[in-house]
Amino acid sequence: MCKLLDHKIVAIARGIDEDHIIPTIQALIDGGINAVELPLSHKCKEAYDKTLKIIKKVHDTFGDKIYLGAGTVLSPEEVEKAAEMGAEYMISPNMDVEVIKKTKELGKGSMPGAFTATEVLTAYNAGADVVKIFPAGNFGESYIKALQGPCDFIPYAAVGGVNADNMKSLLDAGYNMVAVGGNLVNKELVMKEDYKQITELAKKYIQNV
């Protein structure tokens, strides 16, 4: 059963290395956020394999303490690999019907990226649990209000340009949830191992829900 809509905030931990990923996620948990997306890297095969390894490490470490997803999932084969490593939902930057179908075939949550009404409806009809509007933060509240006119039965996630200041207004405008990357999982703080500050950022986001 997909639990995506049980969470208002998904933290996107992009580019966090194996040495720092566990304390980073623990800092998010301490701040009240336990839905985490670990994006797959497509720079090269070595980077891709490393991100799969990190997904498995996080799954093995935290188990059901977090709701773990894989991001930047671009093919049915990647859906299978990420699921094998322990990912419970798949997030993509694009709308690929075959990716959605494979995700649902494996019983995982599906959040493809879309923008136009055609893409949104195609994704939903293919089985998407939540449709990710990207880049939502750059378009403010007006776009989701317009899109919800004909498509108010579809759950939406705001992704891209989301921060602690605009998050509440995006949710109020009609988004069901948000996914936040560098504005929450700040790589500079991670590299300085300032996990306490990441926890404080997470608390700020939770307070704004």
Side-chain angles (χ1 to χ4, degrees):
M1 180 179 174
C2 177
K3 300 178 182 177
L4 274 167
L5 291 171
D6 293 344
H7 301 269
K8 289 293 184 183
I9 305 169
V10 174
I12 306 170
R14 183 180 298 278
I16 308 300
D17 61 59
E18 190 174 354
D19 292 337
H20 293 90
I21 192 64
I22 300 303
T24 297
I25 291 178
Q26 185 60 58
L28 292 167
I29 294 171
D30 292 344
I33 294 174
N34 58 6
V36 180
E37 171 198 339
L38 300 178
L40 298 173
S41 174
H42 296 87
K43 288 181 180 179
C44 61
K45 187 179 186 303
E46 182 183 5
Y48 172 74
D49 289 342
K50 278 184 179 179
T51 47
L52 282 174
K53 183 180 177 183
I54 288 171
I55 290 172
K56 187 175 190 309
K57 180 174 183 176
V58 169
H59 170 71
D60 291 347
T61 301
F62 292 101
D64 59 7
K65 290 181 181 177
I66 65 168
Y67 188 46
L68 177 63
T72 322
V73 180
L74 304 180
S75 70
E77 293 75 22
E78 290 181 6
V79 172
E80 291 180 335
K81 287 285 189 182
E84 287 173 9
M85 297 301 107
E88 290 297 327
Y89 55 96
M90 310 295 161
I91 301 181
S92 303
N94 62 323
M95 192 284 298
D96 186 315
V97 168
E98 295 307 312
V99 169
I100 298 168
K101 287 181 176 179
K102 176 57 70 174
T103 299
K104 299 313 299 176
E105 179 186 312
L106 297 179
K108 305 302 181 182
S110 172
M111 188 196 291
F115 191 72
T116 67
T118 298
E119 291 175 341
V120 167
L121 285 165
T122 301
Y124 185 73
N125 289 334
D129 297 286
V130 179
V131 176
K132 158 184 159 180
I133 303 299
F134 177 84
N138 302 72
F139 291 89
E141 298 84 32
S142 59
Y143 186 73
I144 189 63
K145 288 179 179 178
L147 190 58
Q148 278 196 316
C151 304
D152 61 353
F153 54 93
I154 296 174
Y156 296 98
V159 187
V162 179
N163 56 54
D165 296 324
N166 68 8
M167 182 187 74
K168 188 175 186 303
S169 62
L170 289 168
L171 290 171
D172 289 344
Y175 286 103
N176 300 84
M177 60 189 297
V178 300
V180 191
N183 289 326
L184 172 57
V185 190
N186 185 296
K187 283 190 74 174
E188 185 176 336
L189 293 175
V190 172
M191 291 301 105
K192 291 193 299 185
E193 299 186 349
D194 189 355
Y195 301 116
K196 183 178 180 181
Q197 187 58 37
I198 293 173
T199 294
E200 292 306 310
L201 277 172
K203 288 179 180 177
K204 185 176 180 182
Y205 279 86
I206 290 294
Q207 288 167 0
N208 287 342
V209 169

